[in-house]
C-alpha cells in the first residue's frame, strides 16, 4: 500500500525531437500533470528542432512562471541525441529527484507515487518501473517474443517481478536522486539514441554501472507497480526493425563493455542469454507441437529468438572490433547547473580511470 503522506520533489523529464509525435508528446505531458502525487515541474527538452521548440513554447506558454508544477520547454544544450537532452534537463532540474518518461509513452496515475515510495532508504539512488507495450492496431505480432520486448523499449520476459534490486533500470521509465549525477556524472553522449537515425541504447545501463562504481553501497530498484504504457507504431512491429534494433543493441553493449569493463557490462546479459532465451525457444517449440491454434506462432517466436541472439552477437562483435581499432569518444558529465552537456569535454575510454564524476 502506498504511503499517502509521502511527498518528494520530482522533476519529470520528457525529451522530444520530432513534430510527427506531437499528439504523443502532449499525451505524455498530460499524464504527468494528472499524477496522484504532483510533480514539481515537467521539463520538456527539444532536440535541435527549432520548429518543434517554438511550437511547444507557444503551446505551454513562454516564459514559464517560476512557481512549481509548470511545464518548462528547453532546447537541448548539447550535441544531438537523447543523452545530451537528458543531461540538459538534469542541469536545469529543481527537484530532489529526476524522473524520465519517453515522449511516446503515458504514465499511470500513481506512477510517480510508486517511484517516490522506493526512496525511503537513503541508499536507494535510482528507481525504475514497468513499461508495457501499447501495440498498434492488430496487437502483438504472433512471431514477436516477449523475451525481446526491449526491442520496443518495454519490460521483457526474464526481468524479476515485484520490487527488486537490479544492476540497471530502463531509461524510458526511470528516476534518480539528483545527487546521483553529482557522484557519477550524466548520461554518456555517443552511446544512446539520436532521434530515428540510430536505434542505439544502453546509455542508462552504462550510467547505472558507473553510479554503482562511484557509490558502492548504492541500491538500484525496479518496482513494477510504477507502470507506463509505451506506444509501438507499425514500423516497429516489422521483422526488419527487430533485426536492426537487435544489431544496434550489440553495438551499444560493446560501447558499454568498453567503458565499464565486460565483466560488469555483460553480467545481466549472460544470465539472459543462458537461461531466459533458451527457455523462450523451448516454450515456442512446445507451442508449435500443440496444434494449429498456436503452432505457427510458437515456431516463429522460437526462430525470432535465435535470429535476435545471432544479430545482437554480430553487432557486439563488430562494435568490439571497431573499439579495438581506435579510441571510442563519448562524454558523461559532470552535471552541474554551470556545466551542461554542451560544455562537457569529450574524452576517450582510455580515461576510464579518471576520478568519479569526471567524463569516462
Amino acid at each position: 500500500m502506498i504511503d499517502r503522506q509521502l511527498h518528494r520533489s520530482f522533476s519529470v523529464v520528457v525529451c522530444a525531437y520530432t513534430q510527427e509525435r506531437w499528439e504523443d508528446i502532449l499525451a505524455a505531458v498530460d499524464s504527468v500533470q494528472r499524477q496522484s502525487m504532483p510533480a514539481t515541474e515537467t521539463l520538456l527538452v527539444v532536440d535541435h528542432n527549432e520548429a518543434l521548440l517554438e511550437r511547444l513554447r507557444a503551446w505551454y506558454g513562454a516564459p514559464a512562471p517560476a512557481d512549481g508544477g509548470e511545464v518548462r520547454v528547453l532546447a537541448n544544450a548539447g550535441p544531438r541525441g537523447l543523452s545530451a537532452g537528458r543531461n540538459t534537463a538534469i542541469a536545469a532540474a529543481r527537484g530532489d529527484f529526476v524522473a524520465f518518461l519517453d515522449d511516446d509513452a503515458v504514465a499511470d496515475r500513481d506512477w510517480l507515487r510508486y517511484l517516490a515510495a522506493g526512496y525511503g532508504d537513503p541508499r536507494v539512488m535510482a528507481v525504475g518501473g514497468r513499461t508495457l507495450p501499447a501495440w498498434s492496431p492488430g496487437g502483438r505480432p504472433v512471431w514477436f517474443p516477449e523475451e525481446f520486448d526491449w526491442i520496443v523499449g518495454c519490460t521483457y520476459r526474464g526481468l524479476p517481478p515485484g520490487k527488486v534490486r537490479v544492476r540497471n533500470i530502463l531509461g524510458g521509465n526511470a528516476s534518480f536522486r539528483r545527487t546521483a549525477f553529482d557522484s557519477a556524472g550524466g548520461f554518456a553522449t555517443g552511446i544512446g539514441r539520436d532521434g530515428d537515425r540510430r536505434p542505439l541504447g544502453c546509455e542508462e545501463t552504462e550510467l547505472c554501472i558507473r553510479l554503482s562504481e562511484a557509490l558502492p553501497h548504492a541500491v538500484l530498484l525496479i518496482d513494477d507497480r510504477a507502470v507506463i504504457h509505451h506506444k509501438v507504431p507499425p514500423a516497429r512491429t516489422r521483422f526488419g526493425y527487430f533485426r536492426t534494433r537487435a544489431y544496434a543493441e550489440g553495438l551499444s553493449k560493446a560501447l558499454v563493455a568498453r567503458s565499464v569493463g565486460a565483466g560488469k557490462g555483460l553480467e545481466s546479459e549472460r544470465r539472459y542469454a543462458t537461461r531466459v532465451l533458451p527457455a523462450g525457444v523451448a516454450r515456442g517449440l512446445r507451442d508449435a507441437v500443440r496444434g494449429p491454434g498456436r503452432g505457427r506462432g510458437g515456431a516463429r517466436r522460437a526462430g525470432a529468438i535465435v535470429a535476435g541472439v545471432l544479430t545482437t552477437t554480430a553487432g557486439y562483435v563488430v562494435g568490439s572490433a571497431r573499439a579495438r581499432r581506435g579510441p571510442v569518444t563519448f562524454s558523461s558529465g559532470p552535471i552541474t547547473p554551470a556545466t551542461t552537456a554542451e560544455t562537457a569535454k569529450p574524452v576517450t575510454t582510455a580515461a576510464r580511470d579518471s576520478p568519479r564524476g569526471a567524463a569516462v
Side-chain angles (χ1 to χ4, degrees):
M1 185 174 181
I2 305 174
D3 182 356
R4 296 296 176 185
Q5 302 302 315
L6 181 64
H7 178 75
R8 304 191 190 281
S9 172
F10 270 83
S11 297
V12 178
V13 178
V14 178
C15 293
Y17 68 96
T18 176
Q19 294 198 67
E20 294 178 4
R21 290 187 177 179
W22 177 257
E23 296 297 332
D24 295 335
I25 296 167
L26 299 187
V29 174
D30 182 67
S31 74
V32 176
Q33 294 179 319
R34 293 176 180 271
Q35 289 295 298
S36 60
M37 190 195 83
T40 299
E41 61 184 352
T42 302
L43 301 177
L44 188 49
V45 184
V46 179
D47 190 16
H48 297 274
N49 185 327
E50 287 298 323
L52 177 59
L53 179 67
E54 293 307 315
R55 187 179 182 187
L56 286 170
R57 281 178 171 167
W59 184 268
Y60 288 108
D67 58 336
E70 80 275 19
V71 178
R72 298 167 59 199
V73 181
L74 309 173
N76 179 0
R80 185 182 299 275
L82 180 59
S83 290
R86 286 173 170 170
N87 290 344
T88 297
I90 294 165
R94 298 168 180 160
D96 295 325
F97 302 85
V98 183
F100 298 92
L101 178 68
D102 280 347
D103 66 338
D104 54 353
V106 293
D108 279 3
R109 178 172 169 77
D110 287 326
W111 173 64
L112 272 185
R113 190 178 290 276
Y114 279 120
L115 291 180
Y119 289 103
D121 184 338
R123 297 176 301 166
V124 175
M125 289 289 115
V127 180
R130 179 160 52 113
T131 301
L132 300 178
W135 297 99
S136 57
R140 175 190 293 273
V142 294
W143 58 267
F144 204 115
E146 292 181 5
E147 291 81 1
F148 275 79
D149 277 3
W150 55 263
I151 290 280
V152 292
C154 295
T155 302
Y156 54 91
R157 182 191 289 268
L159 286 178
K163 186 176 181 180
V164 294
R165 188 169 181 173
V166 293
R167 179 197 66 179
N168 65 274
I169 58 179
L170 304 181
N173 181 1
S175 67
F176 295 83
R177 288 188 190 271
R178 178 61 182 78
T179 55
F181 304 108
D182 298 332
S183 299
F187 291 91
T189 59
I191 293 182
R193 282 183 176 268
D194 178 0
D196 286 326
R197 298 183 183 187
R198 301 180 305 165
L200 301 177
C202 296
E203 67 276 13
E204 68 277 3
T205 301
E206 194 271 347
L207 170 61
C208 288
I209 295 173
R210 188 160 23 93
L211 175 60
S212 294
E213 290 182 337
L215 300 173
H217 299 295
V219 174
L220 287 69
L221 299 175
I222 285 182
D223 186 338
D224 64 10
R225 299 172 300 175
V227 175
I228 70 168
H229 303 266
H230 189 260
K231 184 177 180 179
V232 183
R236 296 189 179 184
T237 63
R238 299 168 185 159
F239 190 64
Y241 179 82
F242 180 92
R243 290 184 302 173
T244 298
R245 179 67 184 88
Y247 183 77
E249 183 74 3
L251 295 175
S252 300
K253 291 297 184 188
L255 287 174
V256 172
R258 183 73 168 174
S259 172
V260 300
K264 293 182 179 178
L266 300 177
E267 182 179 24
S268 296
E269 288 73 14
R270 291 190 182 94
R271 176 188 174 277
Y272 172 74
T274 58
R275 296 176 61 182
V276 175
L277 295 184
V281 171
R283 188 180 305 107
L285 294 178
R286 284 198 302 270
D287 288 347
V289 300
R290 287 179 178 175
R294 301 180 67 184
R296 183 165 174 262
R300 293 177 68 186
R301 286 193 299 275
I305 290 174
V306 173
V309 171
L310 294 175
T311 306
T312 305
T313 302
Y316 182 82
V317 170
V318 171
S320 298
R322 289 176 181 174
R324 286 194 297 270
R325 287 199 298 266
V328 180
T329 301
F330 54 88
S331 173
S332 58
I335 298 294
T336 69
T339 305
T340 67
E342 184 175 43
T343 59
K345 183 180 180 181
V347 296
T348 69
T349 54
R352 192 172 167 269
D353 293 329
S354 301
R356 296 300 177 220
V360 298

